[in-house]
Amino acid sequence: MNRRNFLTKAVGTVAATSLGAADVLAGPSGITSQISNAPHKYKLLYAPHFGMFENSAGKDLFDQLKFMADNGFMALEDNGMMGRTVETQKKLGETMAKLGMKMGVFVIDGGDNWKISLTTGKAEFKEKFLKTCREAVEVAKRTNAKWMTIVPGFFERRLPEGIQTANVIDAFRRASDIFEPHNLTMVMEPLSDTPELFLRHSDQSYLICKAVNSSACKILFDMWHMQRNEGQMTRNMDLVWDEIGYFQIGDDPGRNEPTTGEVNYKFLFKHIYDKAKANNQEFILGMEHGNFFKGKEGEQKLIEAYQWSDNF
């Protein structure tokens, strides 16, 4: 029996135990689905994105939001929120408030995230970044958001690394001055997509946060990227814990839901839960990944994978 089949059966057993046999429906492929009216209660605040449940809820964004809430997901992240119309942003904020959902991150991107930019120290890149930050404040107000993703772009190979780091710190300090009065937090994300990216490791992010020295500048600890770049995730997240503002999820290889790769997310979720509870903290964990299985059945399996991984 392979790992995924084993976990699918295990999820069914957990569901049957917690809901009772009358509350579990076994499908023809062995998938179990809850027919209880009460949403599943997760220990952590997981945040899906639009499109993740499109086969089950349809293409309408607000139907998808309701489906998320009906299945116990009480947060949303939407990387592209800044590109949506003002009307849509307002309506999304209002709808989430009615559903009792929290808004996770959206990405601050003025067009320079995936090229050499802030590391250069050039005024043209810095001012464009700060202009986008000011626009992000208004988006956050409309959507009740508190966290926004930032990245400093690529290495400027013609400059010493220390100079590049100082340039990034300066840009982030000035951005923090924009966000602090509104109690908003930008979360810098170390990435693994290409070696050309300047920000790649948790300790590097920690150094920058300490230098910026602002409640408005924290780390986005994306566990998919960190597995690829450095591993030893519980050790490294503990080392930088006081500067983490947000987590994201993705199993590796594949960048799909937990249980589909090599990362032990049940272990990681418990670690985050226990440490956050001990420190009286709450984190949103963004589900920034794809669906391993396709169609409506695949979306049900994704939900089951989260229920199993959250059952610690």
Side-chain angles (χ1 to χ4, degrees):
M1 179 182 293
N2 65 38
R3 181 170 181 255
R4 185 57 196 247
N5 288 339
F6 172 79
L7 292 177
T8 300
K9 291 179 180 294
V11 171
T13 302
V14 170
T17 302
S18 61
L19 295 173
D23 293 321
V24 176
L25 177 66
S29 61
I31 293 176
T32 58
S33 58
Q34 300 176 27
I35 57 173
S36 170
N37 290 326
H40 183 84
K41 296 292 185 182
Y42 290 102
K43 295 182 179 73
L44 290 167
L45 201 55
Y46 305 109
H49 55 78
F50 290 123
M52 183 166 275
F53 300 118
E54 189 174 287
N55 291 285
S56 300
K59 293 186 179 298
D60 182 80
L61 300 184
F62 304 95
D63 288 342
Q64 290 182 45
L65 272 179
K66 187 175 186 304
F67 181 87
M68 293 172 193
D70 286 346
N71 282 274
F73 297 109
M74 301 309 296
L76 168 80
E77 71 172 28
D78 183 30
N79 285 344
M81 183 66 83
M82 287 194 73
R84 299 192 186 280
T85 65
V86 170
E87 181 183 1
T88 300
Q89 291 169 1
K90 287 180 178 177
K91 189 175 178 181
L92 287 171
E94 292 166 358
T95 304
M96 282 187 285
K98 290 176 183 177
L99 292 170
M101 297 177 71
K102 295 188 176 184
M103 180 65 203
V105 293
F106 61 86
V107 175
I108 293 176
D109 186 3
D112 297 332
N113 284 0
W114 294 92
K115 66 182 185 182
I116 300 170
S117 54
L118 294 182
T119 54
T120 67
K122 292 181 178 178
E124 61 189 274
F125 295 117
K126 189 184 300 182
E127 293 308 318
K128 189 174 181 182
F129 170 63
L130 296 174
K131 177 179 180 292
T132 311
C133 288
R134 286 188 284 269
E135 293 169 356
V137 169
E138 301 308 313
V139 176
K141 289 178 182 178
R142 291 190 283 266
T143 59
N144 303 314
K146 293 184 178 181
W147 301 272
M148 295 140 291
T149 305
I150 55 169
V151 295
F154 289 4
F155 279 103
E156 171 49 273
R157 302 287 182 181
R158 292 170 293 185
L159 289 176
E161 189 168 341
I163 301 300
Q164 294 180 71
T165 301
N167 290 337
V168 170
I169 290 168
D170 180 61
F172 286 0
R173 281 179 176 171
R174 292 183 59 185
S176 294
D177 290 341
I178 293 170
F179 292 123
E180 274 186 17
H182 304 281
N183 197 29
L184 300 175
T185 303
M186 54 184 187
V187 284
M188 69 179 78
E189 183 177 13
L191 300 169
S192 65
D193 303 86
T194 168
E196 291 304 310
L197 286 155
F198 174 77
L199 192 67
R200 291 176 51 80
H201 297 283
S202 57
D203 64 326
Q204 179 192 16
S205 305
Y206 187 77
L207 182 154
I208 294 172
C209 274
K210 288 300 183 186
V212 174
N213 191 29
S214 170
S215 61
C217 183
K218 296 296 178 182
I219 298 169
L220 194 172
F221 197 99
D222 185 315
M223 291 176 277
W224 181 72
H225 287 296
M226 293 301 91
Q227 168 70 1
R228 285 154 55 93
N229 278 352
E230 59 188 35
Q232 293 188 293
M233 278 193 279
T234 52
R235 173 185 180 272
N236 289 330
M237 71 172 65
D238 284 353
L239 286 173
V240 304
W241 186 271
D242 62 313
E243 296 293 345
I244 294 176
Y246 196 93
F247 289 92
Q248 284 181 329
I249 303 160
D251 213 340
D252 188 63
R255 200 175 189 177
N256 292 304
E257 68 267 23
T259 76
T260 59
E262 65 187 14
V263 181
N264 185 348
Y265 269 106
K266 179 175 281 196
F267 179 86
L268 289 171
F269 289 162
K270 184 179 188 303
H271 184 79
I272 293 168
Y273 174 84
D274 289 344
K275 197 169 182 70
K277 187 174 182 181
N279 289 283
N280 195 30
Q281 295 170 290
E282 180 184 75
F283 292 101
I284 291 178
L285 287 81
M287 297 159 60
E288 195 189 38
H289 57 73
N291 296 20
F292 186 86
F293 297 99
K294 304 305 178 186
K296 189 174 182 179
E297 181 178 315
E299 293 169 2
Q300 179 61 35
K301 287 186 176 183
L302 185 151
I303 292 169
E304 291 170 356
Y306 271 92
Q307 291 180 6
W308 186 87
S309 299
D310 188 74
N311 183 41
F312 47 79

